[in-house]
C-alpha cells in the first residue's frame, strides 16, 4: 500500500488540474465520488445565485428580463456550453430536463423521417430514455415502434430501412462503457436513419465532438459533470443541417418566432430557439452558468487523462485490496472504453454502499447490484482513490454493511 500512497501523492503533486479543487465547496472529511450523479457545488455559485435573487429579482423585479437580459440567459449558457460538446453555439439550447428534451427531439426525428417507423435503442439504456420513447409510441399509435436490442454489437445489423432514429446513451450509466459515436452515427446514416445521443454521462467528462462525429441530435443534463446543481436545466443539440426542417411538438411561446406579439398562431423561431417551450428558470440557469463556465476553463484532454488514470488506479488497487470480498468489475477493463466512472458488482451492493457512505466515502448504487464510483477531475484528487478503496476494505473486513440500518432503502438510491 505504501507504494500506492507514494504514487498517488506524486500524481496529485503533478496534476495540472489541481488548482480547480479550491473552486469547489467540499465538505471536510468526505470523499465525493458521485459527481456522475450530482456534481459538487462551485464556490462561486452561491454568490452568483444570491446576486440574481437579491439585486435582480429583489430590486429590479420584472424589469430584469430586459435590464439584466434574463431573456438571453439560456442562449448565453448554451454558447458557453457548445465548445464542450464540439458544437456551434447556434446548435445548442439549454432548457427543461433530458426527458422532456428527448420527447422533443425524438418527435422531431420521426418527422424528419416520415416514412420510417422505428426508434432503435438498447434495452440497458437509462430507463427514462426508453419510457419517453414508449410514451411517444403510445401517443402516435401504430406509427411508431420502439425496437430494443440486448447487445451493442447487434445495433448495426438492426439498423434497416424502417429505422427513423438510433437513440443511444454515449456512456452507459451502469457500466460506464463508451459507444463509438462516430462509427455508430455513420452506421445510422448509412441506413438512412438519424442518430440521437444522450450525453448525460459525457458532457464535462470527456472531450466531445458532435460536429466531427456528424451527430444529428443530442441531449444531456446540467447537474452531473457540469456542476449546475440539483435539477439543473438540461441541454439539447440539433445539427445545423436540420435546424430549418426540424420541428418540435411542445410548441410553447418561448419557441415562437415573436413571443411578445401574442398572436394566436404558432410560428417556430428560426434556429435552435424553437426548441424552447416555456419561461426559462432563471435561478437555475444562473447556477448552471457558473458550472459550465468553470468547466469551460479546463482543458478537456487533461480532464480525460486524469479520469482515465484515476479509474485505472481504482481498479488496480481494488483488485489488490478487495480480493476475496466478492466484487467483480462491471466496467470495461480498458480506460479508453470507459467514461469517467468505474463500477463494481456485488450481490450486497446496496448495503455496502450505505456502509461506505457512513465511512465518509460517497459513491452510489444502481440496481440490481452495481456500485458506481465517478471521477470528477476538477475536484477529485488521486488520493481519493486510495481513501475510497481502503474504506471499502474496512467495510468488508468488519462486515459493517450487514447492519440492518444499511438495508433500508431511501426513495432515492
Ligand atoms: C443516461 C441518462 N439519461 C437521462 C437521465 C435523466 O434525465 P432527466 O432527469 O434530466 O430527465 C439520466 C439521469 O441520471 C441519465 O443517466
Amino acid at each position: 500500500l505504501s507504494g500506492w500512497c507514494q504514487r498517488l501523492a506524486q500524481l496529485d503533486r503533478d496534476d495540472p488540474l489541481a488548482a480547480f479543487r479550491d473552486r469547489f465547496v467540499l465538505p471536510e472529511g468526505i470523499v465525493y465520488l458521485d459527481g456522475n450523479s450530482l456534481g459538487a457545488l462551485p464556490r462561486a455559485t452561491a454568490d452568483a445565485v444570491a446576486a440574481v435573487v437579491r439585486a435582480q429579482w429583489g430590486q429590479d423585479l420584472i424589469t430584469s428580463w430586459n435590464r439584466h437580459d434574463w431573456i438571453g440567459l439560456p442562449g448565453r449558457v448554451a454558447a458557453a456550453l457548445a465548445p464542450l460538446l464540439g458544437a456551434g453555439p447556434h446548435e445548442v439550447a439549454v432548457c427543461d430536463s433530458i426527458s422532456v428534451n428527448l420527447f422533443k427531439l425524438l418527435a422531431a426525428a420521426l418527422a424528419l423521417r416520415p416514412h420510417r417507423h422505428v426508434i432503435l435503442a438498447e434495452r440497458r439504456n437509462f430507463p427514462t430514455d426508453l419510457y419517453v420513447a414508449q410514451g411517444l409510441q403510445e401517443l402516435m399509435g401504430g406509427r411508431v415502434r420502439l425496437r430494443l436490442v440486448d447487445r451493442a454489437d447487434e445495433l448495426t445489423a438492426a439498423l434497416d430501412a424502417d429505422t427513423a432514429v438510433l437513440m443511444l446513451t454515449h456512456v452507459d450509466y451502469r457500466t460506464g462503457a463508451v459507444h463509438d459515436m462516430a462509427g455508430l452515427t455513420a452506421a445510422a446514416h448509412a441506413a438512412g436513419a438519424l442518430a440521437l445521443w444522450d450525453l448525460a454521462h459525457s458532457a464535462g467528462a470527456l472531450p466531445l465532438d458532435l460536429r466531427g462525429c456528424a451527430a444529428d441530435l443530442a441531449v444531456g443534463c446540467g447537474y452531473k459533470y457540469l456542476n449546475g446543481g440539483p435539477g439543473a436545466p438540461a441541454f439539447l443539440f440539433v445539427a445545423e443541417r436540420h435546424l430549418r426542417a426540424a420541428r418540435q411538438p411542445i410548441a410553447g411561446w418561448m419557441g415562437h418566432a415573436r413571443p411578445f406579439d401574442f398572436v394566436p398562431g404558432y410560428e417556430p423561431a428560426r434556429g435552435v430557439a424553437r426548441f424552447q417551450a416555456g419561461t426559462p428558470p432563471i435561478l437555475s440557469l444562473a447556477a448552471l452558468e457558473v458550472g459550465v463556465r468553470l468547466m469551460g476553463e479546463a482543458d478537456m484532454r487533461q480532464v480525460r487523462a486524469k479520469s482515465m488514470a484515476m479509474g485505472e488506479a481504482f481498479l488496480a488497487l481494488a483488485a489488490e485490496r478487495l480480493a476475496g470480498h466478492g466484487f467483480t468489475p462491471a466496467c470495461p477493463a480498458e480506460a479508453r472504453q470507459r467514461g469517467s466512472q468505474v463500477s463494481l458488482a456485488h450481490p450486497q451492493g446496496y448495503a455496502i454502499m450505505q456502509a461506505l457512505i457512513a465511512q465518509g466515502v460517497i459513491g452510489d448504487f444502481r440496481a440490481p447490484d452495481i456500485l458506481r464510483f465517478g471521477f470528477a477531475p476538477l475536484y477529485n484528487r488521486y488520493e481519493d482513490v486510495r481513501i475510497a478503496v481502503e474504506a471499502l476494505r474496512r467495510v468488508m473486513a468488519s462486515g459493517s454493511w450487514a447492519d440492518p440500518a444499511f438495508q433500508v432503502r431511501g426513495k432515492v438510491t
Side-chain angles (χ1 to χ4, degrees):
L1 188 64
S2 74
W4 274 107
C5 281
Q6 281 165 19
R7 219 174 311 155
L8 294 170
Q10 188 62 46
L11 285 166
D12 277 324
R13 280 194 292 277
D14 295 343
D15 178 6
L17 299 171
F20 279 101
R21 183 172 164 89
D22 267 352
R23 313 261 306 264
F24 290 85
V25 175
L26 295 163
E28 197 66 37
I30 296 292
V31 165
Y32 192 61
L33 298 180
D34 209 3
N36 51 320
S37 253
L38 174 66
L41 170 66
R43 244 179 233 292
T45 302
D47 284 348
V49 174
V52 175
V53 171
R54 294 215 172 89
Q56 299 184 7
W57 181 16
Q59 298 303 310
D60 295 330
L61 293 158
I62 200 165
T63 66
S64 298
W65 284 102
N66 290 315
R67 193 175 295 184
H68 301 292
D69 195 21
W70 282 356
I71 199 69
L73 185 54
R76 288 198 294 283
V77 180
L81 174 59
L84 289 167
L85 309 177
H90 58 296
E91 296 175 306
V92 179
V94 172
C95 47
D96 301 309
S97 59
I98 288 190
S99 304
V100 173
N101 289 335
L102 264 176
F103 180 82
K104 297 174 195 168
L105 293 192
L106 281 175
L110 290 161
L112 287 169
R113 291 288 178 275
H115 303 297
R116 293 170 174 242
H117 306 96
V118 172
I119 298 169
L120 179 63
E122 287 180 287
R123 199 179 304 279
R124 66 175 191 189
N125 203 343
F126 190 85
T128 207
D129 301 44
L130 304 181
Y131 301 161
V132 169
Q134 287 163 22
L136 257 179
Q137 178 174 274
E138 207 173 302
L139 188 69
M140 297 177 78
R143 154 96 175 78
V144 176
R145 190 164 66 83
L146 173 63
R147 179 173 173 196
L148 300 178
V149 300
D150 289 307
R151 295 202 329 262
D153 60 8
E154 295 171 297
L155 285 166
T156 308
L159 285 160
D160 63 23
D162 204 20
T163 313
V165 54
L166 173 63
M167 173 182 75
L168 294 174
T169 294
H170 181 224
V171 175
D172 185 276
Y173 76 104
R174 275 203 194 92
T175 66
V178 185
H179 274 308
D180 168 10
M181 188 187 289
L184 284 161
T185 299
H189 290 172
L194 300 172
L196 190 170
W197 291 95
D198 181 338
L199 304 177
H201 296 270
S202 311
L206 335 171
L208 292 169
D209 187 10
L210 288 170
R211 284 189 144 198
C213 292
D216 298 287
L217 305 160
V219 293
C221 62
Y223 49 77
K224 298 182 193 289
Y225 295 101
L226 296 173
N227 306 309
F235 64 86
L236 60 82
F237 160 88
V238 179
E240 186 173 10
R241 62 187 176 280
H242 297 306
L243 281 173
R244 197 182 280 269
R247 293 282 294 254
Q248 66 119 333
I250 307 178
W253 72 313
M254 284 294 154
H256 192 280
R258 294 173 307 283
F260 290 90
D261 279 5
F262 292 103
V263 293
Y266 182 72
E267 184 191 326
R270 284 164 66 96
V272 80
R274 68 178 54 176
F275 287 89
Q276 295 286 351
T279 306
I282 297 303
L283 303 184
S284 302
L285 283 163
L288 176 60
E289 182 174 24
V290 174
V292 168
R293 291 198 188 283
L294 184 49
M295 187 53 72
E297 288 180 39
D299 178 336
M300 284 308 295
R301 285 164 309 185
Q302 290 178 351
V303 170
R304 178 69 173 141
K306 181 172 172 183
S307 82
M308 290 198 301
M310 288 186 79
E312 300 224 292
F314 191 107
L315 291 176
L317 200 51
E320 245 176 76
R321 304 289 290 168
L322 303 176
H325 287 301
F327 292 100
T328 30
C331 50
E334 223 199 293
R336 274 185 305 115
Q337 289 171 9
R338 283 194 309 265
S340 200
Q341 71 178 64
V342 296
S343 311
L344 301 177
H346 194 289
Q348 301 298 333
Y350 181 80
I352 292 170
M353 183 52 79
Q354 295 312 303
L356 186 64
I357 292 170
Q359 296 266 328
V361 175
I362 302 180
D364 69 12
F365 170 80
R366 284 292 170 262
D369 61 353
I370 303 281
L371 297 102
R372 294 193 306 186
F373 300 93
F375 307 114
L378 295 199
Y379 53 82
N380 285 134
R381 304 160 301 188
Y382 286 94
E383 194 195 7
D384 293 344
V385 167
R386 176 184 53 77
I387 297 171
V389 174
E390 287 310 296
L392 201 45
R393 183 177 153 98
R394 280 197 303 278
V395 164
M396 300 316 291
S398 67
S400 69
W401 60 268
D403 184 327
F406 297 137
Q407 309 285 337
V408 180
R409 296 203 182 197
K411 276 193 186 154
V412 177
T413 63

